[in-house]
Amino acid sequence: MPVLIGAEGRSVQPSAKIGRVSWLYIALLAVATAVVAGAEWPRLEERFGVETRRRRERARRKSGLRVVRDDSDDFAASVERDLANLPTIDETERRERPR
């Protein structure tokens, strides 16, 4: 690392300390950060957004599901049986009933 010699003749080591920072530079840094965040927002939303989280949770839930193909006849018979057991009202009964 080179040694610098100051105005008084003594050696001055370069330091990594930031001296006084003007409020203008801080404001410009904040504005630049906001501009970059605004420009990258769609990509960040795509990766970390609420909708993406919902999709991941749904995929996780669906991974444990399986398709059952054998019970289609049993299901159809069950539906027909349930429909046959539903109570019905004839048209004549509906007209005769007072409301």
Side-chain angles (χ1 to χ4, degrees):
M1 181 170 274
V3 176
L4 302 174
I5 301 195
E8 291 100 31
R10 56 188 169 154
S11 64
V12 178
Q13 294 288 334
S15 66
K17 292 183 181 179
I18 295 178
R20 292 178 25 170
V21 178
S22 169
W23 65 269
L24 179 62
Y25 292 121
I26 294 173
L28 287 174
L29 179 64
V31 168
T33 304
V35 167
V36 169
E40 293 295 323
W41 187 256
R43 191 164 50 155
L44 292 173
E45 182 70 23
E46 181 180 301
R47 180 173 289 190
F48 302 111
V50 175
E51 190 63 34
T52 304
R53 185 178 308 127
R54 286 184 188 147
R55 266 191 244 124
R56 280 193 308 262
E57 289 173 359
R58 183 170 189 249
R60 193 175 305 128
R61 284 192 315 264
K62 285 179 71 174
S63 67
L65 300 178
R66 61 185 176 88
V67 176
V68 179
R69 298 188 190 270
D70 301 339
D71 297 334
S72 62
D73 294 332
D74 294 338
F75 176 73
S78 172
V79 169
E80 287 177 12
R81 185 175 53 248
D82 291 343
L83 288 175
N85 290 334
L86 285 176
T88 59
I89 300 175
D90 291 333
E91 284 293 323
T92 55
E93 290 179 13
R94 188 181 305 167
R95 288 184 195 143
E96 293 173 3
R97 237 184 200 177
R99 290 187 188 201

